[in-house]
Amino acid sequence: MTCYAGAIVAVVSLVVLADARTAPATCDSEDGCEPTPPEPNFNNRRLVRVQAMGAPSEDEIPDATTTLTYMGHSSFKVTSPNGIEVLVDPWQNDASGFWGLWYYKLYPMTRTDIMISTHNHFDHNAFDRVESPMNLDRMVGRFFLGDVEIEGIADKHAIGKYEDGLFNELGLEKNPPNNVALLDNVIFRVKVGGVTIVFWGDNRPNPEQHVWDKLAESKIDFAVLPIDDSSHLMPYDDVETILRHLQPRAVVPVHYLMDNGLGSVLSKLLPCDAWLATHRDRLIDLKSATIALDQTLLGKLDQKKYTTLYFGSHLPFDVSDLDSATPKDYVCKK
């Protein structure tokens, strides 16, 4: 018996977590004290507040700054000036065990207002690790709320060097338009606080012209692209082709192996050292997991040639504090 089923069956458990936890009451006074009030339930109250505020006009962008926080692999949290949080592509191990152990730890339990996922692969769809009143999983079309605009552009997943032979062996159609749904992908364009970010997901480097036309409708400030020295999804020549089309002010590498004890070599990913070495002339080596997408940063970016913004292995949490992923749970058994 083989584990091939794990390569073609994606099981997504959407778990609604009701947070009714109460902080323990502590009191050292002999006269007694008021009990500690319970934590407020996590719900959509922030979305309700922003909904009531309405969207700012182009010349009324709030003074507060948009921030971008790297959560590891291809995952980010975007926080708008009005405080809306958008979480992108939370990661996990393949529950079937077919692909082995990619991460030694579980994704941190995270609260966010909106969660978006570019495609239904395990390293982009850890829905059960996220508390969110709204999930826009592979959404196509436009969504507006307050100072956030999200547009999903439907296309197809890249056929990497590992998937190519595997899908042939399994007898599965990998080529558009009749590919299996597991090879669908959505490119997200997020406009927030006066900046535009494109989350490429694992999209192919050669989409049809109408996709390029759609992406060209607005100037792109930041393009988040899969870049690693193994060319897991695409060689660097293809990355450059994408960048020539998008013409962003900055590219943000993701989907590479980090050296902080989170990722496993079983993923066959590598760091993106070769990319960094050839882009030293326009490289900002970031010193933390969160960056402000403000005028100070934009002023450092060349208008004619993209700059690489590299988060490295910086994360907003300590990897050692995360729950461990048990290796035996992700070993393909016969």
Side-chain angles (χ1 to χ4, degrees):
M1 179 178 180
T2 70
C3 301
Y4 282 157
I8 59 175
V9 179
V11 179
V12 177
S13 298
L14 298 177
V15 180
V16 179
L17 302 173
D19 184 13
R21 293 171 293 179
T22 300
T26 59
C27 180
D28 296 328
S29 171
E30 294 180 359
D31 298 328
C33 62
E34 293 295 324
T36 303
E39 296 179 12
N41 290 325
F42 181 70
N43 56 29
N44 69 349
R45 62 182 176 276
R46 188 156 51 189
L47 297 179
V48 172
R49 175 183 62 81
V50 172
Q51 176 181 258
M53 292 170 58
S57 64
E58 286 291 334
D59 57 353
E60 294 176 337
I61 299 298
D63 292 335
T65 300
T66 300
T67 60
L68 182 66
T69 299
Y70 186 43
M71 301 290 289
H73 196 59
S74 296
S75 184
F76 284 90
K77 179 180 280 190
V78 182
T79 304
S80 81
N82 279 347
I84 299 177
E85 294 178 347
V86 181
L87 188 73
V88 185
D89 283 356
W91 42 263
Q92 64 180 337
N93 286 302
D94 172 27
S96 75
F98 183 88
W99 293 102
L101 184 76
W102 278 40
Y103 312 103
Y104 289 111
K105 301 289 185 175
L106 301 181
Y107 194 87
M109 288 301 301
T110 303
R111 289 175 167 179
T112 189
D113 299 306
I114 303 169
M115 193 202 73
I116 61 178
S117 175
T118 58
H119 61 290
N120 195 25
H121 287 187
F122 63 87
D123 54 328
H124 298 256
N125 68 359
F127 302 135
D128 64 334
R129 304 297 296 176
V130 179
E131 292 182 76
S132 174
M134 189 187 318
N135 294 338
L136 304 181
D137 177 22
R138 290 166 286 167
M139 180 204 76
V140 177
R142 288 186 176 180
F143 168 87
F144 300 86
L145 181 65
D147 57 349
V148 173
E149 175 186 337
I150 302 172
E151 182 173 11
I153 303 168
D155 198 51
K156 301 299 178 179
H157 193 282
I159 303 298
K161 59 185 179 181
Y162 301 110
E163 289 87 355
D164 190 22
L166 176 63
F167 277 78
N168 288 338
E169 184 175 320
L170 296 175
L172 299 175
E173 181 56 63
K174 64 181 184 294
N175 296 312
N178 298 318
N179 57 278
V180 292
L182 200 60
L183 291 177
D184 290 343
N185 188 86
V186 172
I187 301 169
F188 281 109
R189 173 167 48 199
V190 178
K191 296 182 178 180
V192 55
V195 298
T196 299
I197 312 168
V198 166
F199 294 96
W200 192 257
D202 290 0
N203 208 79
R204 59 182 174 173
N206 56 339
E208 295 181 15
Q209 185 59 44
H210 68 85
V211 174
W212 294 126
D213 293 342
K214 175 67 69 173
L215 288 165
E217 289 177 357
S218 62
K219 173 64 179 175
I220 297 168
D221 296 298
F222 304 94
V224 179
L225 299 180
I227 296 175
D228 88 296
D229 290 349
S230 77
S231 299
H232 182 89
L233 289 168
M234 62 186 78
Y236 286 164
D237 286 349
D238 285 346
V239 176
E240 295 284 7
T241 297
I242 295 171
L243 290 170
R244 281 195 296 272
H245 279 278
L246 298 182
Q247 297 184 357
R249 299 173 75 168
V251 59
V252 182
V254 294
H255 212 287
Y256 54 81
L257 183 66
M258 296 185 292
D259 62 358
N260 55 8
L262 177 62
S264 166
V265 295
L266 291 176
S267 68
K268 296 184 174 64
L269 296 173
L270 291 175
C272 55
D273 294 341
W275 176 272
L276 300 177
T278 55
H279 293 77
R280 291 289 179 193
D281 57 330
R282 289 185 177 88
L283 170 66
I284 298 179
D285 196 348
L286 302 172
K287 305 304 180 185
S288 72
T290 298
I291 186 171
L293 306 184
D294 56 14
Q295 291 303 315
T296 300
L297 173 62
L298 294 176
K300 296 178 181 178
L301 304 180
D302 194 314
Q303 297 284 346
K304 297 181 180 179
K305 176 67 175 179
Y306 65 83
T307 298
T308 296
L309 297 183
Y310 178 55
F311 280 92
S313 294
H314 297 297
L315 297 171
F317 45 80
D318 190 328
V319 172
S320 64
D321 291 337
L322 300 181
D323 294 331
S324 295
T326 306
K328 67 180 180 62
D329 294 336
Y330 304 101
V331 175
C332 190
K333 300 176 180 179
K334 295 184 178 181

